[in-house]
Amino acid sequence: MSKIKVMSEVMANMIAAGEVIEKCASVVKELVENAIDAGAKNIKVNLEAGGIKKIEVIDDGQGMDEEDAILAFSRHATSKIYKADDLFFVETLGFRGEALASIASVSEVELETCMGEVGTYVHLKGGEVLETRKSSARKGTIITITNLFYNTPARLKYLKSETTELNNSISYMERLSLSHPDIAFGLTNNEKTILKTSGGNNLLKTIHEIYGLNTSSNMLEIKASNDDFEISGYIAKPAVLKKNRNHMHTIVNGRIVRNNEINRAINDAYNTYKHEGFYPVVVININVDPTLVDVNIHPTKQDIKMSKIDELTRLLYETIKETLYQNLLIPDAIFDDAKNKDQGEFDETFVAEQLPNFITSDKNLEENEVPEVNQLILNIGYEEDNDVNLEFKKLKLYPIGQVHKTYIIAQDETSMYILDQHAVHERINYEMITKKLQEQKTYTTQMLVPITIELSAADFRTFMERADVLKDLGFEFEEFGINTIIIKAHPTWLKEGNEEESIRTIVDLVITNEKKFDKTKFLDNMAKMISCKMSVKANEDLSFEEMEKLLNDLVKCDNPYNCCHGRPSIMKYTAYELEKMFRRVL
Ligand code: ZN
Ligand code: ZN
């Protein structure tokens, strides 16, 4: 090869490196994925200064012979070293073949690899081979990258702080561990262990190793399928929520992917079980015919496009929603420090400190199965019936009084309860409205004084286009002058007294709903907003009768445990817990 040709190859490698190697984590990613491709079951990543000084990856994969070890750093070695058996990410294979060449062009590399007999050592700098020799016969590969970007100062400048670079690698290794529970991963930085999984092919155990006990003990298993998709994995109970989406892991055919539609479906399924701005921890494996996955994606991105995505999101939504519903939760307000400890949690975790225990309701238990720890059932003595929600409906709560005009204290034979009066009332109204919306027949109240609503020209047009949805609900209205509507009747479930405010809210909601009008979403949002408006607020006096009615209505709810925005509505202290708190028992 002429000198010019060699130079142009080095240049090409450096340009490629600039495109795909942006940070230490991208190097870690390439090296670790090579190790996985080599069939490794133990992969250890050792970083120095978050990878800025050194990245070392040790695997026990099949290793390479001498010829391949040298070819591995050539751009054109693709077909020999990388088998094109990966239908899913076929586009990335071209890159994968070039990855080592690219990394080597902007760093110093030492490779020690062996297929079992004679090992090979290769030392390169800036893409040029400095030394090759025989080495030890340890099966597998050890690859070490130092001086990353030493010859491309512009790139070097873009490397972030040690903490940021390290965090990127941690986050990548966590996701990888969750997508490969069969592989034991290790990650150290400056010789300090940061992540370690055991690789026993037990996903729940891996979740435990990554997130700690508090999370892993609050996971619910899911499993479902339809004609095209198969989903399985674990979803967190609403007791463990995070403040960002990074812990929603979706794995398609073994690859971690990101897809906004999938994330939205998962989040929507948590709808009334959590606050906005909090996200669940989920690890969901999705198996799909590879031909439904669009492979035309950038190698460094994890986005995917998928045909029949609507089918998949519906399956996810329904499965998750059903699973949460079947495990309805009442926070048990016991103070138990031991249970709150959680080695793997980050401070962003939202764990309501005083409600670490949840009583699960296993609606679906087989008849001969005994529900695990079902305190509520044990307390009220309906051992034979497995339906906790049914049990809840049999509860008879007696109000004691109101605290700070905001909370209701109640009791029954076994426990003391604290309830949030607004959350309770909102839940009752939400379920009432939701049921009314599902009824075929609508009942209408004629208004004595019709209300007129003036709109902007654009809003008026949008409103009229979507007006049918309100007519179906039992609203009666017509045009009344320019860009104005007059409303003459409303469905009876709108409470007298604040109907004008509610109607204005509903009209706003019809107009501001996203570009593509989604009726189901609109109705749910409407039910939430109106039930909030109709409900008793904090700082309002309640009579004894009013409290009694709230308690009676709450126990009849399908999900009495949260308001429709996911806030808890009821908390329970059993007599035993009270005794413990006051040290009457030990
Ligand atoms: Zn509210
Ligand atoms: Zn609420």
Side-chain angles (χ1 to χ4, degrees):
M1 221 187 284
S2 78
K3 212 170 184 183
I4 288 166
K5 252 192 166 165
V6 172
M7 274 312 289
S8 72
E9 175 160 337
V10 171
M11 284 303 289
N13 284 338
M14 284 170 69
I15 290 163
E19 274 173 20
V20 290
I21 313 284
E22 301 162 319
K23 46 193 182 205
C24 298
S26 5
V27 177
V28 170
K29 175 174 186 287
E30 291 314 322
L31 301 182
V32 171
E33 283 179 9
N34 284 345
I36 294 174
D37 285 351
K41 287 292 161 214
N42 282 283
I43 300 175
K44 191 150 190 229
V45 179
N46 299 317
L47 305 178
E48 268 176 39
I52 296 168
K53 278 193 181 158
K54 184 172 148 188
I55 300 167
E56 177 185 63
V57 176
I58 304 171
D59 74 51
D60 64 349
Q62 65 189 20
M64 289 179 269
D65 61 20
E66 189 187 345
E67 190 190 355
D68 278 353
I70 294 160
L71 260 178
F73 296 98
S74 150
R75 267 174 91 70
H76 308 293
T78 314
S79 60
K80 180 153 184 12
I81 294 166
Y82 300 89
K83 295 183 290 302
D85 61 355
D86 190 338
L87 274 172
F88 180 3
F89 270 57
V90 77
E91 284 289 307
T92 68
L93 284 175
F95 168 71
R96 293 282 287 284
E98 294 163 17
L100 275 184
S102 297
I103 293 167
S105 71
V106 292
S107 67
E108 189 166 347
V109 181
E110 285 177 274
L111 172 81
E112 222 180 311
T113 185
C114 175
M115 297 185 78
E117 283 166 19
V118 189
T120 308
Y121 169 90
V122 187
H123 182 187
L124 301 96
K125 193 169 181 181
E128 275 178 62
V129 179
L130 301 181
E131 187 191 354
T132 59
R133 57 171 160 80
K134 294 199 188 331
S135 79
S136 82
R138 175 195 169 276
K139 188 168 178 242
T141 300
I142 302 173
I143 185 160
T144 312
I145 312 292
T146 47
N147 292 319
L148 185 62
F149 298 137
Y150 79 98
N151 54 354
T152 50
R155 284 276 138 206
L156 189 60
K157 255 197 354 229
Y158 283 112
L159 281 184
K160 303 281 186 329
S161 68
E162 172 173 343
T163 316
T164 309
E165 292 295 331
L166 178 62
N167 283 345
N168 286 330
S169 288
I170 294 174
S171 144
Y172 168 70
M173 290 297 289
E174 284 176 351
R175 283 179 284 134
L176 197 69
S177 307
L178 292 166
S179 65
H180 291 278
D182 56 323
I183 299 177
F185 290 100
L187 174 66
T188 68
N189 184 50
N190 303 335
E191 293 179 7
K192 189 170 168 266
T193 297
I194 290 171
L195 173 150
K196 197 167 166 23
T197 66
S198 49
N201 206 14
N202 176 337
L203 180 55
L204 191 57
K205 190 166 183 213
T206 310
I207 292 171
H208 176 91
E209 287 161 340
I210 300 290
Y211 284 112
L213 180 63
N214 188 49
T215 299
S216 65
S217 61
N218 276 300
M219 297 303 273
L220 303 168
E221 192 171 8
I222 60 161
K223 210 177 182 90
S225 62
N226 61 19
D227 286 350
D228 295 294
F229 299 96
E230 225 178 75
I231 60 174
S232 65
Y234 291 90
I235 62 168
K237 290 182 191 174
V240 212
L241 296 172
K242 304 275 184 184
K243 276 192 187 138
N244 64 58
R245 291 180 183 79
N246 296 345
H247 308 283
M248 296 166 66
H249 306 281
T250 45
I251 299 147
V252 174
N253 293 358
R255 300 276 176 172
I256 303 156
V257 300
R258 240 173 232 168
N259 177 290
N260 287 335
E261 285 164 278
I262 292 178
N263 276 354
R264 205 175 307 126
I266 297 168
N267 251 313
D268 284 352
Y270 275 82
N271 190 3
T272 69
Y273 298 103
K274 66 174 185 62
H275 287 284
E276 232 157 87
F278 284 97
Y279 301 91
V281 182
V282 306
V283 185
I284 301 177
N285 282 293
I286 301 166
N287 279 326
V288 51
D289 180 343
T291 57
L292 290 182
V293 181
D294 185 356
V295 293
N296 192 16
I297 46 159
H298 192 268
T300 60
K301 301 283 186 293
Q302 296 166 329
D303 293 295
I304 52 155
K305 286 210 179 73
M306 213 185 281
S307 323
K308 304 197 183 177
I309 184 86
D310 290 347
E311 266 178 49
L312 173 63
T313 51
R314 203 176 315 122
L315 181 67
L316 282 167
Y317 176 83
E318 275 162 14
T319 308
I320 295 171
K321 203 171 169 152
E322 187 58 23
T323 306
L324 289 171
Y325 182 75
Q326 284 172 12
N327 290 275
L328 284 178
L329 320 158
I330 181 170
D332 190 359
I334 192 169
F335 300 87
D336 186 340
D337 286 339
K339 281 180 183 149
N340 263 333
K341 292 241 163 63
D342 193 357
Q343 52 276 56
E345 288 298 335
F346 301 106
D347 48 6
E348 65 182 12
T349 311
F350 172 71
V351 184
E353 273 190 343
Q354 293 163 0
L355 26 142
N357 294 330
F358 282 79
I359 293 170
T360 55
S361 90
D362 300 80
K363 274 171 74 93
N364 265 9
L365 284 176
E366 299 298 326
E367 265 177 46
N368 48 358
E369 270 180 55
V370 179
E372 273 187 19
V373 186
N374 207 320
Q375 223 168 333
L376 202 56
I377 284 177
L378 296 178
N379 282 346
I380 51 184
Y382 291 105
E383 287 90 344
E384 51 277 81
D385 194 332
N386 287 325
D387 191 330
V388 166
N389 227 29
L390 253 182
E391 294 320 310
F392 196 92
K393 287 178 181 182
K394 290 178 192 161
L395 277 185
K396 181 74 190 143
L397 305 182
Y398 300 93
I400 309 286
Q402 201 188 11
V403 177
H404 294 161
K405 295 184 185 179
T406 301
Y407 308 102
I408 301 167
I409 308 291
Q411 69 172 337
D412 63 5
E413 291 75 22
T414 64
S415 302
M416 176 182 97
Y417 301 84
I418 304 180
L419 303 98
D420 178 313
Q421 65 191 40
H422 176 68
V424 167
H425 201 195
E426 194 179 77
R427 163 55 56 182
I428 296 164
N429 283 326
Y430 174 71
E431 294 200 3
M432 180 272 291
I433 294 176
T434 308
K435 282 192 184 109
K436 295 280 182 216
L437 293 179
Q438 284 159 0
E439 283 168 11
Q440 293 299 319
K441 179 109 185 70
T442 54
Y443 296 90
T444 298
T445 309
Q446 296 294 324
M447 297 167 76
L448 291 174
V449 187
I451 59 170
T452 54
I453 300 179
E454 288 174 46
L455 298 168
S456 74
D459 284 354
F460 181 76
R461 279 190 51 169
T462 315
F463 179 81
M464 291 314 275
E465 274 167 26
R466 300 169 175 179
D468 280 353
V469 68
L470 291 191
K471 291 201 164 136
D472 293 347
L473 295 178
F475 287 93
E476 285 170 18
F477 54 88
E478 45 201 58
E479 284 189 52
F480 188 73
I482 300 159
N483 298 332
T484 303
I485 45 172
I486 182 161
I487 301 196
K488 294 178 166 171
H490 62 75
T492 34
W493 49 257
L494 267 189
K495 203 169 99 184
E496 303 278 329
N498 61 359
E499 69 268 35
E500 172 156 1
E501 197 197 347
S502 296
I503 290 171
R504 288 185 186 279
T505 307
I506 293 172
V507 169
D508 277 349
L509 197 60
V510 172
I511 296 164
T512 52
N513 210 293
E514 292 142 38
K515 278 221 165 62
K516 211 176 114 208
F517 187 70
D518 181 332
K519 191 176 168 193
T520 319
K521 260 194 191 152
F522 162 76
L523 291 178
D524 194 48
N525 282 337
M526 184 189 74
K528 283 180 181 167
M529 286 175 101
I530 301 305
S531 56
C532 183
K533 283 205 188 308
M534 280 166 57
S535 299
V536 51
K537 305 279 179 300
N539 268 314
E540 274 183 36
D541 274 317
L542 292 180
S543 70
F544 196 78
E545 287 70 30
E546 284 170 323
M547 287 190 265
E548 215 167 25
K549 174 141 180 39
L550 282 177
L551 297 176
N552 286 340
D553 289 348
L554 181 72
V555 296
K556 291 185 201 119
C557 285
D558 289 333
N559 173 5
Y561 315 107
N562 304 98
C563 84
C564 57
H565 305 92
R567 278 205 304 118
S569 50
I570 178 167
M571 237 163 259
K572 186 180 82 163
Y573 297 76
T574 64
Y576 177 69
E577 283 154 18
L578 292 171
E579 283 166 358
K580 244 171 95 174
M581 270 196 267
F582 291 101
R583 307 231 179 111
R584 289 174 171 277
V585 293
L586 289 172

